[in-house]
Amino acid sequence: MIGVLITASVLFASNVPSLAASFVTGSQSARQRPPAAQAILRQCASLHAVPGPSANFLDRQRSDRYEPGTRPTLIKNATLWTGARNGTEVVYGDILLDKGLIREIGDIPEDVYVSRDTYVVDAHGGWVTPGLVDLDTHLGLISAPVMAGALDYSSAHGPVLPWLRSIDGFNTHDAALALAVAGGVTSAQIAPGSENPIGGQAFMVKLRKTSERTPTSMLIEPPYMLNDSRQDPNLPLRWRHLKQACGESTRAYGNRMDTMWALRSAYAEAREIRDAQDAFCAKAEAGLWGEVGGRSFPEDSRWEALVDVLRGRVKVSAQCSEAVDLDAMVRLTQEFKFSIASFQHAHEAYLVPEALKNAYGGIPTVALFADSSRFRSEAYRGSEYAPRILADHGFPIALKSSHPMLNSRHLLFQAQQAHYYGLPPHLALAAVTSVPAAAVGLSHRIGILREGADADVVLWDSHPLQLGATPRKVWIDGILQVGNDTDHVLISPGKTAPEWLELPEVPDFTAEREAALQFEGLPPLRSTSTVAGRVAFRNVKEVFLRQAGDSARVVSRYGLDSGAGVTHVIVDRGRVTCVGPVCEGEGRNAEVVMDLRGGAIVPGMMAFGSALGVEEIESELSTGDGALFDPLREDVPGIVGDVGGLLRVDDTLLFGTRNALVAHRAGVTYATTSFVRSPLFFRGTLMGGLSATFRTGAPHALERTAIIKPVTALHVSVGRAPPGSYHPQTASLSTQIATLRRLLLDGEDARTQTGEWFKKAAEGTIPFIVEVSSADVMATLIRLKTEVEEKRGTYMRMVFSRATEAHLLAEEISNAGISVILRPPRQFPWSWDDRRILPGPPLTNDTALATLLKHGVTVGLGSWEAWHTQATRFDVGWAIFESNNWINKRQAYELVSTNLEKLLDLEGWIGDMGDLVAYEGGSALDFTSKPVAIASPARELVEIL
């Protein structure tokens, strides 16, 4: 870094300082104007230009992005959320799209459009919003499926790189682009990575592939200097965009002090150039051409972007999370007098709102995740209540994906969760439309519905803040992208009731929000009390209980199957003893009476596939088990006494972690955890160890019911390692299969851990869980299963986990008696092995989940991230809607309870003694409720949360 800065200083010193000195000491009178005087004066005049649209921008008759031949479109009978008036304006009527623009809004008479070959869509009262705007993504830079030839995220060539441009690495073949559009996202900021304090220039793009098929043609108002062209004085200046970062992510170039020095050094360099330009122009504009001395305008292409930052022409995004980093960035803005358009991630912004208000140039937008905390040390104090807290302090709130950290397709889910946790609905919708549009200086054309704005429009199947809201149709520049009538995709046939078009009611989290502030993001998570006697639950609308017997399943005792109103449930010593109106009398003797207000009592859910219980913070090895040996890459130390290095999770279980306790309070009362890791598109080692099943709310391993089953299953991970994997040089796929064949056919001494447990897996006495994505690899594994069973005369209990492409072999998987755990529930083509997904509505009628269930496969749902387990019930509810109601509620609950128990051989370990969770306010599978109690028959008590 120092070398780069010194070189720049030396190069610049040969021009600028001597020129500046001549301005100070020169005393010559004006000489004759040089031939280039007019050009110099125009360039100097351009320094005073202010970015933004022309005063008559909305009067334009055609978009600069209009594709000739595009038919006009009329959406009639719509409920239009316009984004105006801080997101509070709703218009009931029609909207006309033509020439790439929104031409009219309101009650549009037929004579306006009927004679113009207009495509007419009847919304039937459905919600229409602006296309969603994702403020922070790496779309096209980390392209799906990830391959070495298209991985252009961060540069390793220095800490400060303002001359790099994300558009130069933007891959238009990224499969994520079409998927994002299917989620209603029409525009996105394409930002370099955060490993550099200044990673480079960002660009705003429309996610529609144009007829030119080029990255340049997808840009929204590209700055004129993109092609080294000069500003046309007759046209308004366009905003530029820059990505900065601080904190943990820049560790490759030093610690926090190094990061801030790198930033200060860079801005000092830019300030010298700016001051030299101002001095040069002052002389030229005064006509002192003699003092200019025939010199050219002082500039340096490496630093010109930062010079524009100092001139207020760049929308800067700063990715900083902790208070120490946010405060440092605020000081930087004060020192060099530039503004921050948006703070990204900003996990602790809600703890220091007044500090952020001191940023130079005014209050910045704060771009957050709704639920992504504890994946790094700097995110450990993040809170789901941050959006509401910051909104109460007057900050514009944006919600973003940082794709591929979160799938950009699910951007709206971020707004839905923020609303669930307290953000007012108008601000939640604005957070993914008008606020991010304003943060990048494009609110005159995107993120809002008004006449003259770009025709980026989404028609939804329900209120946008309802869980599972799906686009029926998406237009970008007035061109239909999703929902063509000829696609014959059925979207949400079950959402016909009027309440689907209404704003969902959400619980009151005032107490939780106040606790988050009081304890600086680390509020107590243990239950408030326990009751060992009788508890009466009143006004219960749904009751789903575990069925006793050899085969675990969920049965509806009240609500869904009966079609009745509310009822009463009595729990004695943790067990349900009475369900129905007749229980009201028994409730009189209850120690505690809880009114669920139309809520539900359902089985406690199970987390599978994350690191829950073996680490506290994903990126901090010191909070977990540490690095594991890969026997296909290195020899396991002889002292271990096992060539395969097969390890047990129960030896390293952590209890009382925040992720586990948050999951517990969210109704996820059990977890099955192995050593298999596959965050994003990474892969771990072949040996995934021996998983354990435990209770998420247990205080320690010695508590009587803490560990449900110390050894649950044998886990392995099979597949190709994509670029960026933790182990990119792992053994070949054929080597992995050959190793499994040998081990399953008694290739190791049964007195070793590897030999013993692979023998048990081959004999079917323990489930054999294979982490696998590719259908081709699954086919090989099915053949391997048959081979082992034939040679040994046994029956294996094989389970495919992750199973991205399992839908391609649904019948074969069913015939082979193999179960499947889909993780994550909503698939994405992360790697080459994952590329053939079944995305579901609005792109396909079926999902992988529905396809597998239709073929009789036992399916469970899992997750990747420990911090996401608190949203398990929302994942399950979403799965119902994506299946076009092919899955009912009983089946949905089984996906994360009894189905997992079956395929993990836990039926006799949990069964009808499994936990039940009481939800107040509504169903457990939507945004209307929150958990308030856990009934635990095994512990003979009820926890009051």
Side-chain angles (χ1 to χ4, degrees):
M1 182 276 294
I2 295 175
V4 173
L5 297 180
I6 290 176
T7 302
S9 300
V10 171
L11 289 173
F12 183 69
S14 62
N15 294 298
V16 177
S18 59
L19 176 61
S22 70
F23 295 153
V24 175
T25 61
S27 58
Q28 300 180 21
S29 60
R31 295 180 181 176
Q32 184 177 0
R33 287 164 59 97
Q38 195 61 37
I40 291 173
L41 291 174
R42 280 199 302 270
Q43 187 168 9
C44 289
S46 72
L47 299 183
H48 306 292
V50 177
S54 61
N56 62 348
F57 179 83
L58 295 177
D59 297 332
R60 58 189 177 143
Q61 298 301 303
R62 170 184 301 209
S63 170
D64 54 325
R65 300 182 49 80
Y66 170 65
E67 296 270 5
T70 304
R71 294 172 61 191
T73 296
L74 177 81
I75 309 171
K76 66 178 185 179
N77 302 322
T79 304
L80 302 161
W81 184 86
T82 67
R85 296 185 173 87
N86 197 30
T88 61
E89 181 181 85
V90 176
V91 174
Y92 301 94
D94 314 324
I95 182 169
L96 178 64
L97 316 178
D98 191 22
K99 300 291 192 299
L101 304 175
I102 298 173
R103 301 308 299 266
E104 290 190 46
I105 294 177
D107 186 9
I108 302 176
E110 285 191 8
D111 58 6
V112 173
Y113 61 87
V114 72
S115 62
R116 301 177 53 205
D117 188 31
T118 301
Y119 174 47
V120 179
V121 176
D122 193 335
H124 298 290
W127 284 85
V128 171
T129 70
L132 308 186
V133 181
D134 201 339
L135 186 57
D136 177 33
T137 81
H138 308 298
L139 287 163
L141 302 181
I142 303 178
S143 300
V146 174
M147 299 201 294
L151 195 57
D152 297 289
Y153 170 62
S154 292
S155 173
H157 293 154
V160 175
L161 305 168
W163 48 84
L164 299 186
R165 296 168 170 174
S166 66
I167 193 64
D168 294 329
F170 183 70
N171 178 14
T172 60
H173 300 302
D174 184 353
L177 299 176
L179 293 172
V181 175
V185 180
T186 58
S187 303
Q189 181 166 218
I190 312 302
S194 57
E195 279 78 2
N196 315 88
I198 298 181
Q201 299 168 45
F203 290 82
M204 286 297 298
V205 303
K206 294 281 187 82
L207 301 187
R208 171 181 69 85
K209 282 191 177 182
T210 69
S211 56
E212 295 181 25
R213 299 189 179 94
T214 63
T216 302
S217 63
M218 296 173 70
L219 292 171
I220 311 173
E221 295 191 359
Y224 296 105
M225 59 284 302
L226 179 63
N227 298 315
D228 198 30
S229 56
R230 296 296 181 185
Q231 165 70 22
D232 185 336
N234 299 314
L235 296 174
L237 189 65
R238 292 172 171 175
W239 283 106
R240 304 176 70 185
H241 305 91
L242 187 79
K243 174 67 176 287
Q244 292 184 180
C246 59
E248 260 186 81
S249 62
T250 61
R251 286 283 174 175
Y253 294 101
N255 59 27
R256 283 178 165 82
M257 295 179 286
D258 293 309
T259 293
M260 295 314 298
W261 171 244
L263 289 167
R264 293 181 65 234
S265 298
Y267 277 107
E269 192 79 33
R271 184 168 56 188
E272 284 190 32
I273 298 174
R274 181 203 62 186
D275 292 347
Q277 290 175 349
D278 290 346
F280 176 93
C281 288
K283 298 299 182 182
E285 290 170 342
L288 301 177
W289 298 106
E291 296 190 22
V292 170
R295 297 178 181 272
S296 60
F297 182 78
E299 57 188 342
D300 188 320
S301 60
R302 292 168 300 176
W303 304 105
E304 55 85 22
L306 294 190
V307 172
D308 264 4
V309 171
L310 299 181
R311 293 194 182 282
R313 299 175 168 196
V314 180
K315 295 290 187 179
V316 177
S317 297
Q319 181 176 315
C320 304
S321 290
E322 287 191 88
V324 59
D325 304 313
L326 296 165
D327 188 49
M329 192 60 71
V330 167
R331 291 198 306 272
L332 185 75
T333 69
Q334 294 168 339
E335 180 180 358
F336 292 96
K337 304 295 185 291
F338 71 93
S339 61
I340 298 288
S342 63
F343 275 107
Q344 306 279 349
H345 286 28
H347 289 94
E348 292 188 13
Y350 75 102
L351 297 176
V352 291
E354 297 307 314
L356 294 191
K357 291 179 181 179
N358 292 326
Y360 181 83
I363 294 179
T365 293
V366 183
L368 303 164
F369 302 114
D371 69 343
S372 302
S373 298
R374 297 177 295 280
F375 62 93
R376 281 180 176 169
S377 173
E378 63 185 6
Y380 191 61
R381 293 177 184 267
S383 172
E384 53 268 65
Y385 310 110
R388 168 64 185 272
I389 294 170
L390 287 164
D392 288 347
H393 280 272
F395 285 87
I397 301 301
L399 293 157
K400 47 68 164 283
S401 71
S402 196
H403 180 97
M405 180 174 175
L406 301 178
N407 187 349
S408 185
R409 180 183 181 183
H410 304 143
L411 177 64
L412 187 63
F413 185 47
Q414 293 294 297
Q416 293 166 352
Q417 290 180 95
H419 174 242
Y420 174 73
Y421 289 115
L423 189 64
H426 64 288
L427 297 183
L429 287 176
V432 290
T433 52
S434 55
V435 169
V440 293
L442 292 172
S443 58
H444 54 287
R445 65 184 299 167
I446 63 173
I448 195 166
L449 300 181
R450 63 177 171 185
E451 295 174 2
D454 286 10
D456 301 343
V457 177
V458 184
L459 170 61
W460 301 92
D461 68 344
S462 57
H463 191 291
L465 294 180
Q466 289 276 6
L467 177 64
T470 302
R472 287 170 51 191
K473 295 183 183 293
V474 179
W475 291 266
I476 301 180
D477 300 321
I479 304 172
L480 187 65
Q481 305 294 305
V482 170
N484 195 308
D485 296 337
T486 61
D487 294 339
H488 303 296
V489 176
L490 191 63
I491 300 174
S492 306
K495 296 182 181 180
T496 56
E499 55 262 30
W500 283 106
L501 295 178
E502 298 173 1
L503 178 72
E505 294 185 13
V506 295
D508 181 4
F509 286 101
T510 300
E512 292 89 340
R513 188 165 64 248
E514 291 174 350
L517 281 172
Q518 178 185 353
F519 294 95
E520 297 190 352
L522 303 177
L525 296 174
R526 294 291 183 186
S527 56
T528 58
S529 62
T530 59
V531 181
R534 177 172 294 182
V535 177
F537 294 97
R538 305 181 62 186
N539 296 318
V540 186
K541 190 173 183 180
E542 291 180 3
V543 181
F544 289 85
L545 303 180
R546 296 169 177 272
Q547 178 177 275
D550 295 333
S551 180
R553 62 187 298 249
V554 173
V555 294
S556 173
R557 287 288 301 273
Y558 203 87
L560 182 69
D561 295 341
S562 67
V566 294
T567 190
H568 307 289
V569 177
I570 302 299
V571 175
D572 260 319
R573 299 181 65 82
R575 303 198 69 159
V576 173
T577 58
C578 184
V579 177
V582 297
C583 306
E584 186 172 11
E586 294 188 34
R588 296 190 185 99
N589 299 322
E591 294 182 33
V592 174
V593 177
M594 301 189 71
D595 186 349
L596 296 190
R597 300 188 304 106
I601 295 178
V602 304
M605 300 179 190
M606 179 180 290
F608 176 91
S610 74
L612 207 65
V614 295
E615 67 182 19
E616 176 76 306
I617 303 173
E618 181 181 305
S619 65
E620 291 285 339
L621 288 178
S622 63
T623 70
D625 184 52
L628 301 176
F629 289 102
D630 183 348
L632 295 185
R633 297 181 66 241
E634 57 191 336
D635 291 336
V636 176
I639 195 171
V640 176
D642 183 44
V643 69
L646 190 64
L647 305 175
R648 296 173 53 146
V649 164
D650 70 313
D651 288 337
T652 189
L653 277 178
L654 299 172
F655 287 87
T657 67
R658 297 199 68 80
N659 282 326
L661 293 178
V662 167
H664 184 71
R665 295 181 67 87
V668 183
T669 60
Y670 303 102
T672 297
T673 299
S674 73
F675 291 118
V676 171
R677 295 289 167 270
S678 56
L680 297 185
F681 45 81
F682 301 127
R683 281 214 180 269
T685 65
L686 173 70
M687 293 294 189
L690 298 166
S691 59
T693 301
F694 62 97
R695 198 179 299 277
T696 56
H700 52 75
L702 299 182
E703 194 263 349
R704 180 175 59 87
T705 63
I707 299 178
I708 305 298
K709 193 174 184 180
V711 175
T712 301
L714 171 61
H715 295 252
V716 297
S717 178
V718 180
R720 302 169 181 87
S725 173
Y726 292 135
H727 301 290
Q729 304 303 320
T730 192
S732 69
L733 179 59
S734 55
T735 301
Q736 296 172 49
I737 297 296
T739 302
L740 293 182
R741 178 180 290 110
R742 176 179 177 273
L743 294 176
L744 289 168
L745 294 173
D746 286 340
E748 283 298 315
D749 190 328
R751 291 172 296 179
T752 66
Q753 283 282 84
T754 297
E756 175 188 359
W757 291 103
F758 270 89
K759 180 179 181 180
K760 289 183 177 181
E763 293 173 344
T765 58
I766 186 173
F768 185 53
I769 316 292
V770 186
E771 177 85 354
V772 58
S773 298
S774 167
D776 297 310
V777 181
M778 290 182 215
T780 298
L781 290 167
I782 292 173
R783 291 169 52 229
L784 176 62
K785 178 177 184 288
T786 301
E787 177 186 350
V788 171
E789 290 174 344
E790 289 178 349
K791 290 183 177 180
R792 299 188 64 111
T794 59
Y795 181 79
M796 293 182 65
R797 304 185 60 165
M798 184 177 283
V799 179
F800 291 155
S801 175
R802 186 160 174 164
T804 310
E805 296 185 352
H807 59 277
L808 298 174
L809 294 173
E811 183 176 352
E812 291 78 7
I813 289 171
S814 178
N815 292 339
I818 295 173
S819 301
V820 169
I821 303 175
L822 293 173
R823 52 182 292 268
R826 292 176 298 281
Q827 298 167 316
F828 183 81
W830 297 110
S831 69
W832 187 256
D833 279 3
D834 298 292
R835 70 190 184 280
R836 296 173 293 190
I837 68 169
L838 195 58
L843 298 179
T844 62
N845 277 307
D846 281 326
T847 62
L849 173 60
T851 300
L852 291 166
L853 289 176
K854 288 176 184 178
H855 284 84
V857 179
T858 299
V859 182
L861 298 182
S863 63
W864 281 351
E865 310 292 358
W867 47 260
H868 184 71
T869 53
Q870 70 186 94
T872 296
R873 63 192 182 99
F874 300 143
D875 285 340
V876 176
W878 200 342
I880 296 176
F881 307 132
E882 282 192 323
S883 74
N884 285 329
N885 277 359
W886 194 89
I887 301 170
N888 60 38
K889 278 190 177 180
R890 177 186 60 76
Q891 292 171 308
Y893 285 121
E894 289 177 339
L895 294 171
V896 289
S897 59
T898 54
N899 278 12
L900 287 173
E901 293 166 27
K902 287 178 187 176
L903 57 87
L904 293 172
D905 193 25
L906 291 168
E907 291 174 293
W909 298 78
I910 297 178
D912 61 346
M913 295 295 285
D915 291 345
L916 296 172
V917 181
Y919 294 82
E920 178 187 74
S923 169
L925 302 183
D926 59 35
F927 290 130
T928 59
S929 68
K930 69 177 179 180
V932 293
I934 298 173
S936 181
R939 292 180 293 158
E940 300 182 332
L941 54 79
V942 173
E943 285 185 65
I944 308 299
L945 301 176

